[in-house]
Amino acid sequence: PDILSLLRMRKEISRDIHKMHAFVRFKKTGDDMKSEREQFMAWFEPDHRIMPLTARFFQKRFTNMDWSIFTPTGSASWDGKTLTLGPGVDKVEVPKEELDELWRGYYKSIFNPARLKVKAMQAEMPKKYWHNLPESNLIESLISESRHRVQQMHKETLRSATSGGKNPYLKHLRNLTSHDENIVLNPDEHIRQPLSRLRELATCCQACPLHENATGTVLGEGPADAKIMIVGEQPGDQEDLLGRPFVGPAGKLLDHFLTKIGIEIKECYLTNAVKHFKFIPRGKQRLHQSPNLDEISRCKPWLIGEIQEIKPRIIILLGSTAARSLIGTHFKITQQRGIITGTGLAAKVVATVHPSYLLRIKDSQRQQHEKTLFLKDLQLAK
């Protein structure tokens, strides 16, 4: 029990130090005419006596200015030469300054309501710190207005996308609820929508509930003239956080096998059938959940748009979700893997398992067998 208690205390203090590093806000109090150095002060209320543990951080980071930090349990001052620790004080009135208004304007401009996660925000920036932040009087209103602002962003994006004449891609946007499994692309009906515009439109997609918990929309990535398009299932945990496809363990394994057959992954266009990460939380982990048919269908227009714009010669479908999206809901990867004909999607379409499937196999012999089959499938794309 004592060891657990110490470990818990250590974690709490480390978190307190992290919060102090993040939320101390200096205010200018004047200038030293002799040294020509600016003078600043700050007030902070940590949960523990951490001033001696954090002072060096501020000394190294703000070496070129004179500053003092006051807390109820300790204080620290730096004059360019000496770091001095002192006793705590009850309360210090920090002066307001003109830069506060500039900071509030900057904070408001970078606040993205489409990516707002209130619980996560309050976990990282608890309300008890707000009153010391210049932007504190904006936070409540920005949160309350976020839903309306997202709706306005969505409308403005669609209005912008459809201005200047008829936009064929709008047909797909209006049919996000369509469950048509047999969209066959006609090369003569190319949708002239740049990838940059697809990305802009997809950012505001709310066609299914997956957008509510995901960090953001993850559209494809790669050369606009790529000969090979690789379609996976959905972004994973790392892909969701970084906003890029195939950057996690499965992506690294895919890169390994592509290199074996002489294909550079950077020359391929990488994307997913579903553009938001579907998961269930388990403590600090986010456990992957397979998209259902409705979610696959609602994301299909984005994938169709990417195919229309890239016009790949070869499409590699990784896993059942990708295959169900573009071939049909009854497609079975284990039974029908290999070259798929008659799709109208590209000159050659190859379906195989997803690399994450290989990573989940625990039996070494079976895993090696499946890796051999996976490699043979990829070779069909050459």
Side-chain angles (χ1 to χ4, degrees):
D2 291 340
I3 294 176
L4 290 176
S5 179
L6 286 172
L7 291 174
R8 192 179 303 111
M9 290 173 62
R10 178 184 177 183
K11 183 176 181 180
E12 290 174 356
I13 291 172
S14 296
R15 182 174 177 81
D16 209 18
I17 291 172
H18 171 73
K19 296 301 182 187
M20 186 167 182
H21 289 171
F23 298 130
V24 162
R25 295 288 189 270
F26 286 105
K27 300 294 181 68
K28 187 176 180 180
T29 59
D31 297 294
D32 188 325
M33 302 304 293
K34 293 182 180 180
S35 63
E36 297 183 349
R37 290 169 61 87
E38 295 179 312
Q39 297 178 320
F40 295 81
M41 66 178 294
W43 166 255
F44 192 74
E45 299 169 74
D47 294 328
H48 303 87
R49 296 176 179 271
I50 58 173
M51 193 70 255
L53 301 176
T54 60
R56 292 290 181 187
F57 168 84
F58 293 103
Q59 176 194 349
K60 292 178 181 179
R61 188 164 186 179
F62 302 102
T63 302
N64 295 325
M65 67 186 201
D66 295 347
W67 52 260
S68 295
I69 301 175
F70 299 97
T71 78
T73 58
S75 61
S77 298
W78 169 253
D79 62 4
K81 296 180 181 179
T82 305
L83 178 65
T84 305
L85 298 177
V89 296
D90 291 335
K91 177 66 177 177
V92 171
E93 291 298 328
V94 180
K96 295 182 179 180
E97 59 173 326
E98 294 180 1
L99 288 178
D100 286 354
E101 195 59 38
L102 290 175
W103 173 257
R104 280 190 285 270
Y106 169 73
Y107 184 84
K108 188 174 182 179
S109 70
I110 64 170
F111 184 86
N112 186 351
R115 298 176 70 92
L116 176 64
K117 302 288 184 292
V118 176
K119 290 183 179 179
M121 176 184 176
Q122 292 181 347
E124 286 300 314
M125 189 170 67
K127 282 192 173 184
K128 66 179 182 179
Y129 298 119
W130 289 12
H131 65 278
N132 290 323
L133 304 177
E135 65 270 24
S136 60
N137 61 348
L138 295 175
I139 296 175
E140 292 282 6
S141 61
L142 289 173
I143 291 175
S144 63
E145 296 169 1
S146 60
R147 180 177 292 275
H148 175 70
R149 287 184 61 194
V150 168
Q151 292 173 347
Q152 289 300 114
M153 289 167 62
H154 186 59
K155 291 178 181 178
E156 289 171 8
T157 301
L158 291 180
R159 189 182 304 116
S160 172
T162 57
S163 62
K166 186 177 179 181
N167 181 353
Y169 194 71
L170 187 60
K171 177 182 178 182
H172 291 299
L173 291 177
R174 288 172 176 165
N175 292 329
L176 282 171
T177 57
S178 170
H179 294 270
D180 180 10
E181 301 170 6
N182 302 305
I183 293 181
V184 177
L185 305 186
N186 184 341
D188 297 327
E189 297 177 358
H190 175 61
I191 297 173
R192 299 185 180 279
Q193 198 63 235
L195 286 173
S196 59
R197 182 56 60 84
L198 289 181
R199 198 174 305 279
E200 182 182 359
L201 290 167
T203 300
C204 297
C205 182
Q206 299 181 16
C208 76
L210 293 186
H211 77 277
E212 295 175 359
N213 296 315
T215 304
T217 309
V218 182
L219 213 64
E221 180 177 285
D225 59 350
K227 294 181 180 179
I228 300 176
M229 174 183 281
I230 299 176
V231 183
E233 180 192 61
Q234 65 166 341
D237 182 72
Q238 294 183 39
E239 287 83 357
D240 175 66
L241 294 173
L242 297 175
R244 300 177 59 200
F246 289 97
V247 294
K252 291 180 174 61
L253 185 61
L254 175 64
D255 185 17
H256 169 73
F257 279 104
L258 288 174
T259 302
K260 274 192 170 186
I261 61 173
I263 296 176
E264 292 285 339
I265 196 169
K266 64 182 180 181
E267 296 177 357
C268 303
Y269 185 85
L270 308 175
T271 190
N272 286 294
V274 174
K275 309 304 184 185
H276 285 112
F277 180 34
K278 183 178 182 179
F279 64 92
I280 55 173
R282 283 289 184 271
K284 292 186 177 181
Q285 291 185 316
R286 302 190 298 173
L287 302 183
H288 162 277
Q289 293 285 288
S290 296
N292 59 40
L293 292 178
D294 181 65
E295 291 155 351
I296 294 171
S297 175
R298 289 171 186 265
C299 249
K300 187 172 182 177
W302 305 118
L303 182 55
I304 295 295
E306 289 177 296
I307 294 173
Q308 290 277 27
E309 185 62 21
I310 298 296
K311 295 181 288 188
R313 187 172 62 84
I314 300 168
I315 296 178
I316 302 175
L317 304 176
L318 302 177
S320 60
T321 296
R324 287 180 175 184
S325 175
L326 293 176
I327 299 176
T329 58
H330 301 294
F331 187 86
K332 303 291 184 183
I333 282 287
T334 54
Q335 299 173 14
Q336 299 169 274
R337 64 195 299 170
I339 295 178
I340 311 300
T341 59
T343 65
L345 297 167
K348 182 186 289 187
V349 176
V350 176
T352 186
V353 297
H354 197 282
S356 61
Y357 164 72
L358 304 177
L359 294 173
R360 293 194 299 269
I361 300 175
K362 295 181 179 180
D363 182 79
S364 58
Q365 287 187 337
R366 183 177 165 225
Q367 185 185 66
Q368 187 56 49
H369 174 69
E370 289 295 335
K371 284 183 176 180
T372 301
L373 294 178
F374 181 65
L375 188 62
K376 288 181 179 179
D377 289 340
L378 292 181
Q379 287 173 331
L380 296 173
K382 293 206 67 179

